[in-house]
Amino acid sequence: MHDLIPNIHQQLTGILGDINYFIPEIFLSLLFIVVLITDLLFGRNSERLCRIVACGGMMVIISKDVVQKLYMGDDVRFLFSGMLVQSHTGVVFKLIIDISALLLLLYFAWDEPLKSHQKKLSDLYSITIAAVFGLHLMAMAVNLLSVYLAIEMVSVASYLLVAYRSENAFSTEAGFKYVLFGAASSAVMLYGMSLLYGFTGSLSLFDPAFVTALIQVNTAGVVFAMVLVLVGMGFKLSFVPVHFWVPDVYEGAPTPITAFLSSVPKVAAFALLINFLTPFIINPQFKAVDFGLYLSVIGIVTMIAGNFAAVMQNNAKRMLAYSSIGHTGFALMAIVTFSAQGIKALAYYLAVYVIANIGALMLVTYFNRITGSDDVNSYKGLGFKYPAASICFVIILISLTGLPISAGFTGKLFVFSAVYSVYQSNHNVLLLLLTITGAVTTVVSLFYYLKIPLNLFLKRTESPAEPITQPTAILIAAIIISVVLILLGLFPDWLTRFL
């Protein structure tokens, strides 16, 4: 104890210095408390006020992210005794998370089944903000302890979000499945982390002794531990073979929650995967695990499984669930390059995917209020009755597919370019297979994404009905998203200059 006393002043000084790099997270903590207190003070009448506070606060946090990005530049700084890291890539991913979260906070009140819930939406805003705080920590975690705590913070918040409509049996079942699968994956990941700690005696991924100790350990033990840890991360990324929970949970959850699960946690999980892999990739002596081989195989299988399974779906939410699995596999292509160009391509791809995916699910909500169903066959003949929403739906789906002139096309082009650039230097056949699989599955995705435009514009319903007046909020948001996707496709440098 007496040996620690002289170091207290130095540690406190270090913590106070690190706080300057932790400003967005501090504001998130304060925002969570303010929204929670607002809910407690105003009770059932607090829903609108909580929404205003949450959205306003998130805009402030986005501004803090921008300031931090400009302040940090390309510097890398380890915070709080190496528990977290602040880097250019991490700040970019956090900015994507926060902009997406703001869009989702607005979206929650536009979903009628969720809005009509007896508990109202006040709790939903505070839970979402807590989840965003956990996502920030995921993007910054470089210590096995902080990795586990960040993932669990996001997981607990996600469980609550999925089962928020507790009066709905389908939603409750989805929440129960998510808790069971999530608990199992967390246990597996924690066991892998305990093995890594036992092998190395350290929890810090960037501690030089961490990788050095693993080099001296039996290869089979290291591979086993790494696979277990990747299972936990793969649960958030929903790549094969830990993707089986996705269709049922996404279909059973309220549509805005499906939009949250299928987009924002993926961004944080990819940032976490980058942090986890970096210490091993930069050390040429570490050869126990060929991450390029493992992730390439996972990416190929995930693209095939996600896209081909989506072809067989007629439920729009299940179709988008399987397509999100396919998109995860495609994004893994950028990770496998282990290059700065690949990471930049990944950031662009995830940014435009998240925007398009949220827009697609907004329009699923829009047409559900018209038809009372998420089945794409119920969209027959609606394209000419609701032309603005239908045209926006087509544009967003074009971007998700990756067709010109959309931002999705540019994102896929950047990823292909990054993979091919690395292939030219090392002629790794796995990169070639990834490229071929990505191209083939992009064509396959046409077969299910085009189901919606086909029903909207080319098929007729047998019982025509008068158009139903819809709230304009979702339509305005969909139009803005569609315009953004086209503009970013035509002028990608508007986004790439900030990545």
Side-chain angles (χ1 to χ4, degrees):
M1 181 67 183
H2 293 290
D3 296 335
L4 297 176
I5 293 176
N7 297 324
I8 292 177
H9 175 72
Q10 181 180 356
Q11 291 179 358
L12 288 175
T13 303
I15 290 172
L16 292 174
D18 291 342
I19 286 177
N20 292 327
Y21 298 86
F22 202 64
I23 297 299
E25 290 70 34
I26 292 174
F27 272 79
L28 269 172
S29 304
L30 294 175
L31 180 60
F32 171 74
I33 294 171
V34 171
V35 173
L36 199 62
I37 291 175
T38 303
D39 182 25
L40 292 173
L41 289 177
F42 294 93
R44 290 184 175 275
N45 300 320
S46 67
E47 181 179 341
R48 183 178 177 82
L49 187 57
C50 285
R51 186 183 187 218
I52 294 171
V53 171
C55 293
M58 193 57 65
M59 293 177 69
V60 172
I61 291 160
I62 290 170
S63 70
K64 296 298 178 183
D65 288 334
V66 173
V67 171
Q68 190 176 66
K69 181 181 180 300
L70 297 174
Y71 177 70
M72 283 288 299
D74 293 327
D75 294 341
V76 176
R77 183 182 176 93
F78 290 92
L79 310 178
F80 309 120
S81 301
M83 294 292 289
L84 304 172
V85 68
Q86 195 66 276
S87 64
H88 171 80
T89 302
V91 175
V92 168
F93 277 74
K94 289 192 297 180
L95 193 55
I96 296 171
I97 290 168
D98 292 341
I99 293 173
S100 306
L102 175 60
L103 194 56
L104 288 164
L105 289 171
L106 293 170
Y107 177 21
F108 288 157
W110 301 338
D111 186 79
E112 195 61 36
L114 196 58
K115 186 179 179 180
S116 61
H117 188 270
Q118 60 181 0
K119 291 188 293 189
K120 302 300 180 183
L121 298 180
S122 301
D123 292 338
L124 201 63
Y125 296 127
S126 56
I127 295 169
T128 303
I129 292 166
V132 172
F133 179 78
L135 294 169
H136 272 232
L137 296 183
M138 280 179 65
M140 300 167 67
V142 288
N143 183 289
L144 293 178
L145 181 59
S146 60
V147 167
Y148 181 75
L149 291 176
I151 289 177
E152 285 306 291
M153 181 179 294
V154 175
S155 296
V156 171
S158 299
Y159 302 152
L160 295 173
L161 291 174
V162 172
Y164 194 76
R165 291 183 59 201
S166 54
E167 84 290 351
N168 184 290
F170 201 21
S171 181
T172 304
E173 180 186 352
F176 185 63
K177 287 180 179 178
Y178 193 31
V179 170
L180 288 179
F181 295 144
S185 69
S186 295
V188 170
M189 181 180 65
L190 189 59
Y191 182 45
M193 288 179 173
S194 67
L195 289 176
L196 291 178
Y197 176 67
F199 292 152
T200 63
S202 174
L203 292 171
S204 177
L205 295 171
F206 283 83
D207 183 353
F210 186 85
V211 179
T212 302
L214 285 179
I215 293 172
Q216 301 170 3
V217 177
N218 181 272
T219 301
V222 176
V223 171
F224 182 64
M226 290 291 184
V227 168
L228 294 181
V229 174
L230 288 175
V231 164
M233 295 183 186
F235 181 80
K236 287 297 174 195
L237 288 170
S238 64
F239 58 58
V240 176
V242 284
H243 68 294
F244 45 81
W245 60 276
V246 171
D248 290 340
V249 173
Y250 283 17
E251 184 182 3
T255 306
I257 306 305
T258 301
F260 173 85
L261 293 176
S262 61
S263 55
V264 191
K266 286 182 184 289
V267 179
F270 273 111
L272 176 59
L273 185 61
I274 292 169
N275 292 341
F276 180 77
L277 294 177
T278 299
F280 305 105
I281 302 304
I282 63 177
N283 192 324
Q285 295 180 335
F286 182 81
K287 299 179 180 179
V289 181
D290 188 346
F291 288 107
L293 172 62
Y294 291 174
L295 293 178
S296 295
V297 172
I298 290 172
I300 291 169
V301 175
T302 302
M303 281 189 279
I304 293 172
N307 284 285
F308 278 90
V311 172
M312 298 181 286
Q313 307 303 317
N314 285 320
N315 182 286
K317 289 173 69 175
R318 285 186 76 89
M319 185 184 73
L320 291 171
Y322 278 111
S323 78
S324 75
I325 296 171
H327 282 283
T328 296
F330 192 91
L332 283 172
M333 291 173 60
I335 292 285
V336 171
T337 62
F338 304 126
S339 66
Q341 183 185 358
I343 300 305
K344 191 171 183 178
L346 175 66
Y348 183 94
Y349 182 80
L350 289 177
V352 298
Y353 162 71
V354 166
I355 294 171
N357 191 62
I358 293 174
L361 285 161
M362 281 183 178
L363 290 169
V364 169
T365 295
Y366 184 90
F367 284 105
N368 179 275
R369 294 181 66 173
I370 296 169
T371 65
S373 172
D374 291 328
D375 194 303
V376 296
N377 293 316
S378 66
Y379 297 170
K380 290 179 180 178
L382 296 179
F384 296 102
K385 296 177 183 176
Y386 306 92
S390 300
I391 291 170
C392 288
F393 215 158
V394 172
I395 293 172
I396 289 169
L397 293 174
I398 285 173
S399 183
L400 286 172
T401 306
L403 298 178
I405 53 174
S406 66
F409 170 77
T410 310
K412 290 198 172 186
L413 184 62
F414 285 160
V415 174
F416 279 131
S417 298
V419 174
Y420 185 70
S421 178
V422 176
Y423 172 74
Q424 282 185 311
S425 62
N426 61 16
H427 296 286
N428 188 333
V429 68
L430 286 171
L431 296 178
L432 182 60
L433 289 174
L434 274 169
T435 304
I436 294 171
T437 306
V440 171
T441 52
T442 296
V443 175
V444 171
S445 67
L446 280 169
F447 288 92
Y448 59 84
Y449 281 134
L450 289 181
K451 284 183 180 179
I452 292 176
L454 179 68
N455 281 286
L456 286 173
F457 291 104
L458 299 180
K459 292 189 177 182
R460 295 288 183 267
T461 180
E462 296 179 359
S463 54
E466 291 297 321
I468 301 172
T469 303
Q470 289 288 333
T472 57
I474 288 181
L475 183 57
I476 292 171
I479 292 172
I480 293 172
I481 289 172
S482 301
V483 171
V484 167
L485 291 174
I486 292 174
L487 290 176
L488 289 179
L490 293 172
F491 309 102
D493 57 308
W494 289 3
L495 179 57
T496 53
R497 70 179 65 174
F498 295 105
L499 299 179

